[in-house]
mmCIF file of all heavy atoms in Angstrom:
data_model
loop_
_atom_site.group_PDB
_atom_site.id
_atom_site.type_symbol
_atom_site.label_atom_id
_atom_site.label_comp_id
_atom_site.label_asym_id
_atom_site.label_seq_id
_atom_site.Cartn_x
_atom_site.Cartn_y
_atom_site.Cartn_z
ATOM 1 N N GLN A 48 17.178 -20.328 3.498
ATOM 2 C CA GLN A 48 18.034 -20.045 2.354
ATOM 3 C C GLN A 48 19.259 -19.277 2.777
ATOM 4 O O GLN A 48 19.157 -18.196 3.302
ATOM 5 C CB GLN A 48 17.269 -19.205 1.337
ATOM 6 C CG GLN A 48 16.968 -19.918 0.092
ATOM 7 C CD GLN A 48 16.306 -18.958 -0.861
ATOM 8 O OE1 GLN A 48 15.626 -18.047 -0.467
ATOM 9 N NE2 GLN A 48 16.522 -19.166 -2.120
ATOM 10 N N TRP A 120 6.054 -12.510 4.653
ATOM 11 C CA TRP A 120 5.845 -13.364 3.483
ATOM 12 C C TRP A 120 4.396 -13.855 3.419
ATOM 13 O O TRP A 120 3.801 -13.931 2.344
ATOM 14 C CB TRP A 120 6.806 -14.539 3.516
ATOM 15 C CG TRP A 120 8.231 -14.120 3.294
ATOM 16 C CD1 TRP A 120 8.670 -13.093 2.511
ATOM 17 C CD2 TRP A 120 9.392 -14.708 3.876
ATOM 18 N NE1 TRP A 120 10.045 -13.005 2.563
ATOM 19 C CE2 TRP A 120 10.516 -13.988 3.388
ATOM 20 C CE3 TRP A 120 9.617 -15.770 4.749
ATOM 21 C CZ2 TRP A 120 11.831 -14.302 3.754
ATOM 22 C CZ3 TRP A 120 10.919 -16.084 5.108
ATOM 23 C CH2 TRP A 120 12.008 -15.349 4.617
ATOM 24 N N GLY A 135 -7.023 -10.937 -13.274
ATOM 25 C CA GLY A 135 -7.486 -12.068 -14.066
ATOM 26 C C GLY A 135 -6.349 -12.956 -14.516
ATOM 27 O O GLY A 135 -6.470 -13.719 -15.476
ATOM 28 N N GLU A 154 15.911 -18.664 -30.326
ATOM 29 C CA GLU A 154 15.896 -17.525 -29.404
ATOM 30 C C GLU A 154 15.409 -17.970 -28.033
ATOM 31 O O GLU A 154 14.407 -18.674 -27.920
ATOM 32 C CB GLU A 154 14.989 -16.415 -29.923
ATOM 33 C CG GLU A 154 14.923 -15.204 -28.994
ATOM 34 C CD GLU A 154 13.995 -14.125 -29.486
ATOM 35 O OE1 GLU A 154 13.489 -14.238 -30.625
ATOM 36 O OE2 GLU A 154 13.743 -13.163 -28.723
ATOM 37 N N TRP A 168 5.445 -15.004 -7.905
ATOM 38 C CA TRP A 168 5.111 -14.581 -9.264
ATOM 39 C C TRP A 168 6.111 -15.153 -10.263
ATOM 40 O O TRP A 168 5.726 -15.697 -11.312
ATOM 41 C CB TRP A 168 5.087 -13.059 -9.366
ATOM 42 C CG TRP A 168 4.619 -12.550 -10.699
ATOM 43 C CD1 TRP A 168 3.336 -12.251 -11.055
ATOM 44 C CD2 TRP A 168 5.420 -12.319 -11.871
ATOM 45 N NE1 TRP A 168 3.279 -11.828 -12.373
ATOM 46 C CE2 TRP A 168 4.545 -11.863 -12.896
ATOM 47 C CE3 TRP A 168 6.776 -12.432 -12.158
ATOM 48 C CZ2 TRP A 168 4.997 -11.530 -14.176
ATOM 49 C CZ3 TRP A 168 7.236 -12.108 -13.434
ATOM 50 C CH2 TRP A 168 6.351 -11.662 -14.429
ATOM 51 N N ILE A 196 11.024 -25.439 -7.043
ATOM 52 C CA ILE A 196 11.698 -24.478 -7.916
ATOM 53 C C ILE A 196 11.895 -25.085 -9.306
ATOM 54 O O ILE A 196 12.589 -26.081 -9.479
ATOM 55 C CB ILE A 196 13.067 -24.089 -7.331
ATOM 56 C CG1 ILE A 196 12.871 -23.455 -5.949
ATOM 57 C CG2 ILE A 196 13.794 -23.130 -8.257
ATOM 58 C CD1 ILE A 196 14.170 -23.182 -5.235
ATOM 59 N N ASP A 254 2.180 -0.685 -9.036
ATOM 60 C CA ASP A 254 2.586 -0.132 -7.741
ATOM 61 C C ASP A 254 1.390 0.430 -7.000
ATOM 62 O O ASP A 254 0.316 0.627 -7.569
ATOM 63 C CB ASP A 254 3.667 0.931 -7.903
ATOM 64 C CG ASP A 254 4.750 0.791 -6.836
ATOM 65 O OD1 ASP A 254 4.407 0.917 -5.637
ATOM 66 O OD2 ASP A 254 5.917 0.539 -7.181
ATOM 67 N N LEU A 315 12.528 5.366 -24.943
ATOM 68 C CA LEU A 315 12.853 3.967 -25.180
ATOM 69 C C LEU A 315 11.622 3.120 -25.492
ATOM 70 O O LEU A 315 11.751 1.984 -25.965
ATOM 71 C CB LEU A 315 13.560 3.373 -23.956
ATOM 72 C CG LEU A 315 14.974 3.868 -23.655
ATOM 73 C CD1 LEU A 315 15.473 3.246 -22.358
ATOM 74 C CD2 LEU A 315 15.921 3.556 -24.799
ATOM 75 N N ALA A 342 -20.024 -10.848 -6.812
ATOM 76 C CA ALA A 342 -20.150 -10.374 -5.432
ATOM 77 C C ALA A 342 -19.310 -11.227 -4.484
ATOM 78 O O ALA A 342 -18.618 -10.702 -3.600
ATOM 79 C CB ALA A 342 -21.624 -10.403 -5.004
ATOM 80 N N MET A 352 -7.522 -8.402 1.362
ATOM 81 C CA MET A 352 -6.921 -7.073 1.458
ATOM 82 C C MET A 352 -7.054 -6.484 2.864
ATOM 83 O O MET A 352 -6.178 -5.731 3.313
ATOM 84 C CB MET A 352 -7.559 -6.145 0.432
ATOM 85 C CG MET A 352 -7.195 -6.480 -1.003
ATOM 86 S SD MET A 352 -5.398 -6.437 -1.300
ATOM 87 C CE MET A 352 -5.044 -4.707 -0.956
ATOM 88 N N GLN A 448 -7.813 11.037 -15.663
ATOM 89 C CA GLN A 448 -8.042 10.231 -14.470
ATOM 90 C C GLN A 448 -7.279 10.785 -13.266
ATOM 91 O O GLN A 448 -7.787 10.789 -12.144
ATOM 92 C CB GLN A 448 -7.639 8.776 -14.735
ATOM 93 C CG GLN A 448 -8.525 8.054 -15.722
ATOM 94 C CD GLN A 448 -9.975 8.081 -15.310
ATOM 95 O OE1 GLN A 448 -10.322 7.727 -14.185
ATOM 96 N NE2 GLN A 448 -10.841 8.524 -16.209
#
Side-chain angles (χ1 to χ4, degrees):
Q48 248 184 330
W120 291 327
E154 179 182 353
W168 186 91
I196 300 174
D254 222 299
L315 291 176
M352 290 302 297
Q448 292 304 308

